[in-house]
């Protein structure tokens, strides 16, 4: 079976856009009863990591079967926001053989429903960031910042651990940028740059959302010429908690922040 790598990376919105991949949940619920292979025995050791390689192999085999049948989006059938954050998902929740079809069907449906909800938000937000529809550069900048803030909130809301938001926000923002026409490698670089200063175990706050939105807009739009090199409006000279805005005029930073800018917990 050829593997072009897309189902592993899912780097663009086209890889997971529900509109591109028709899906019948009733058919799927019936199909998984013969499609899903038996899972390995559940681990018996207290540390929860016994049988990790076997469990990983089972998840991978299910991913391949589902993506071959329903499209690359199904490869991450276990990526529901409330599941993806759990490092031990693979070993902690492997079902008994009799429960495996229902387990897989429920997980795939949850993932599909989340993608459909995300698609609705993209459909609402993408027209506002289209330069061809905007009155001017300032409108595009403002719309992009609003979009990033709304999508981060949406992606982080179902996360159980309030410091595990980075993964969901990372993939959501990258997909949005590719849906807006930004090449996947550039989109990944923009999102990585915006989130690199936030370590794990840092709860998401309005400050972080504002900071990421600010950085994404600058890095994504400046190369296109939509954001001028100079200041575009009268932004405050300081950001919340004393963090300077990259658009401030009294910092000497010009169009970008200094490389040693840090994060205060």
């Amino acid at each position: 079976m050829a593997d072009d790598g897309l189902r592993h990376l899912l780097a663009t919105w086209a890889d997971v856009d529900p509109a591109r991949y028709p899906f019948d949940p009733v058919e799927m619920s019936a199909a998984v009863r013969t499609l899903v292979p038996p899972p390995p025995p559940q681990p018996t050791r207290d540390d929860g990591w016994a049988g990790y390689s076997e469990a990983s192999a089972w998840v991978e085999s299910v991913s391949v079967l589902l993506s071959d049948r329903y499209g690359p989006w199904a490869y991450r059938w276990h990526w529901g926001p409330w599941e993806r954050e759990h490092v031990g998902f693979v070993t902690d929740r492997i079902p008994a053989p009799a429960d495996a079809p229902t387990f897989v069907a429920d997980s795939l449906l949850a993932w599909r429903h989340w993608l459909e909800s995300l698609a609705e938000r993209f459909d609402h937000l993408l027209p506002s960031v289209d330069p061809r529809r905007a009155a001017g550069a300032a409108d595009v900048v403002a719309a992009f910042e609003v979009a990033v803030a709304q999508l981060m909130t949406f992606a982080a809301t179902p996360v159980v651990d309030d410091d595990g938001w980075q993964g969901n926000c990372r993939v959501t923002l990258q997909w949005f940028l590719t849906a807006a026409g930004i090449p996947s490698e550039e989109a990944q670089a923009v999102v990585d740059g915006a989130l690199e200063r936030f370590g794990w175990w840092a709860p998401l706050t309005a400050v972080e959302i504002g900071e990421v939105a600010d950085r994404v807009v600058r890095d994504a739009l400046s190369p296109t010429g939509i954001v001028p090199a100079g200041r575009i409006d009268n932004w405050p000279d300081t950001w919340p908690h004393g963090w300077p805005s990259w658009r401030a005029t009294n910092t000497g930073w010009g169009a970008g922040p200094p490389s040693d800018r840090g994060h205060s917990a």
Side-chain angles (χ1 to χ4, degrees), residues 11 170 173-174 177-178 182-196 215-216 218-220 223:
R170 185 182 301 274
L173 294 181
Q174 183 171 336
L177 293 182
T178 62
I182 297 175
S184 60
E185 291 185 1
E186 181 181 339
Q188 180 178 347
V190 168
V191 175
D192 287 347
L195 296 178
E196 64 184 357
R215 180 74 180 265
V216 167
R218 183 195 58 181
D219 292 348

Side-chain angles (χ1 to χ4, degrees), residues 28-53:
M28 181 276 297
S29 296
V32 294
R33 299 190 179 281
T34 57
L35 193 66
V36 173
Q42 294 173 305
T44 56
R45 286 173 50 188
D46 292 338
D47 62 10
W49 288 93
Y52 179 84
S53 60

Side-chain angles (χ1 to χ4, degrees), residues 42-68:
Q42 294 173 305
T44 56
R45 286 173 50 188
D46 292 338
D47 62 10
W49 288 93
Y52 179 84
S53 60
E54 293 83 357
S56 297
W58 179 75
V59 171
E60 173 69 14
S61 67
V62 173
S63 297
V64 171
L65 290 169
L66 292 178
S67 61
D68 284 347

Side-chain angles (χ1 to χ4, degrees), residues 150-165:
Q150 289 187 9
L151 291 172
M152 287 186 68
T153 302
F154 171 75
T157 296
V159 174
V160 176
D161 295 330
D162 64 0
D163 57 5
W165 54 271

Side-chain angles (χ1 to χ4, degrees), residues 81 113-119 121 148-159 168-169 172:
H113 289 161
W114 191 81
L115 289 175
E116 290 172 348
S117 295
L118 188 60
R121 284 159 175 79
V148 170
Q150 289 187 9
L151 291 172
M152 287 186 68
T153 302
F154 171 75
T157 296
V159 174
N168 287 339
C169 287
T172 298

Side-chain angles (χ1 to χ4, degrees), residues 199-220:
W200 297 98
W201 307 290
L204 181 64
T205 68
V207 172
E208 275 77 22
I209 291 176
E211 173 72 8
V212 172
D214 207 39
R215 180 74 180 265
V216 167
V217 168
R218 183 195 58 181
D219 292 348

